[in-house]
Amino acid sequence: IVAMLGANGAGKSTTLKAISGLLRGEDGAVTRGDIVFEGTSIRGLDPDKIVKRGIFQVMEGRRIVEDMTVIENLRLGAFSRPGRPSDADLEMVFSYFPRLKERKGLAGYLSGGEQQMLAVGRALMAKPKLILMDEPSMGLSPLLVQEVFSIINNISTEQNIPILVVEQNSAIALKFADYGYVMENGKIVLEGTREELVNNEDI
């Protein structure tokens, strides 16, 4: 788990959108440098092609489909991968988020924490090689933030999926991240291991 920290407006979400190809949808563009994944440049690729290469972004604010059920939202996450999602895939998600298995109604009626769990579960259904997470703690109570980050940590460890997480809440991010970067005005101003950053007065 790698954390990208910084104040609101530092450029963290823009960085994620540059990686996932979503920046162009906001009339943005990568003007310098390159974006390399598994040894190949993905700069300029369409978002659907980037997803098919294994990069899945969990957007800020969850972005679930509110008038679809939990199961339908989860199956949607598997849309880009070859073959149909199996019951085993769903059970794997429910093993991390048992609360979702109990919810039979529309996703729009889930609590904020449950919607965040659904958004992460939907990412898992894509069988990603890399998950990008944008502000997973946003709008959640401190207890739920702790629970969600604990599950994210378990997913990364047990499923062997690297996760790049953008957070304003540096305390919770550095509790679980192995390494971190700090952004200011669109630039990396500090980086280091969890221990180095936790003990840094500037943080």
Side-chain angles (χ1 to χ4, degrees):
I1 297 177
V2 174
M4 190 176 294
L5 311 171
N8 196 24
K12 307 183 303 296
S13 296
T14 302
T15 301
L16 291 194
K17 288 174 184 173
I19 296 168
S20 61
L22 296 175
L23 200 56
R24 279 191 297 166
E26 299 178 0
D27 293 329
V30 178
T31 56
R32 281 185 297 163
D34 204 355
I35 302 165
V36 178
F37 181 64
E38 294 188 324
T40 305
S41 174
I42 59 171
R43 176 179 168 175
L45 285 184
D46 291 332
D48 62 311
K49 291 184 172 63
I50 291 174
V51 170
K52 285 177 180 172
R53 285 178 182 238
I55 300 176
F56 198 104
Q57 182 168 347
V58 178
M59 301 288 287
E60 179 183 338
R62 273 78 85 172
R63 306 283 180 95
I64 55 145
V65 185
E66 294 185 358
D67 56 357
M68 291 172 69
T69 66
V70 167
I71 297 288
E72 288 168 339
N73 266 276
L74 290 174
R75 290 189 184 280
L76 194 60
F79 181 76
S80 63
R81 54 178 253 219
R84 291 174 57 83
S86 67
D87 289 341
D89 295 327
L90 289 169
E91 287 305 318
M92 180 265 294
V93 172
F94 292 144
S95 71
Y96 290 107
F97 306 109
R99 220 179 301 179
L100 293 180
K101 191 170 187 177
E102 303 164 6
R103 302 296 186 256
K104 307 298 181 188
L106 297 179
Y109 292 109
L110 297 176
S111 69
E114 290 166 344
Q115 288 186 11
Q116 185 64 68
M117 293 173 186
L118 179 56
V120 177
R122 186 174 56 187
L124 273 178
M125 290 292 289
K127 293 199 177 300
K129 297 176 182 175
L130 170 66
I131 298 178
L132 311 176
M133 288 194 180
D134 198 353
E135 301 281 2
S137 72
M138 181 180 281
L140 303 184
S141 70
L143 271 177
L144 262 178
V145 169
Q146 181 74 31
E147 181 182 354
V148 167
F149 265 87
S150 293
I151 295 169
I152 289 169
N153 185 57
N154 291 342
I155 288 169
S156 178
T157 304
E158 294 168 12
Q159 301 296 324
N160 199 27
I161 302 171
I163 297 174
L164 175 59
V165 60
V166 154
E167 257 302 333
Q168 286 188 61
N169 185 340
S170 60
I172 191 72
L174 290 177
K175 185 174 180 180
F176 293 98
D178 303 291
Y179 201 85
Y181 295 91
V182 180
M183 286 193 87
E184 253 179 39
N185 300 320
K187 293 181 179 175
I188 302 292
V189 295
L190 197 62
E191 66 176 277
T193 64
R194 174 200 302 152
E195 292 75 18
E196 289 168 343
L197 293 179
V198 164
N199 296 318
N200 188 304
E201 288 182 9
D202 293 333
I203 294 291

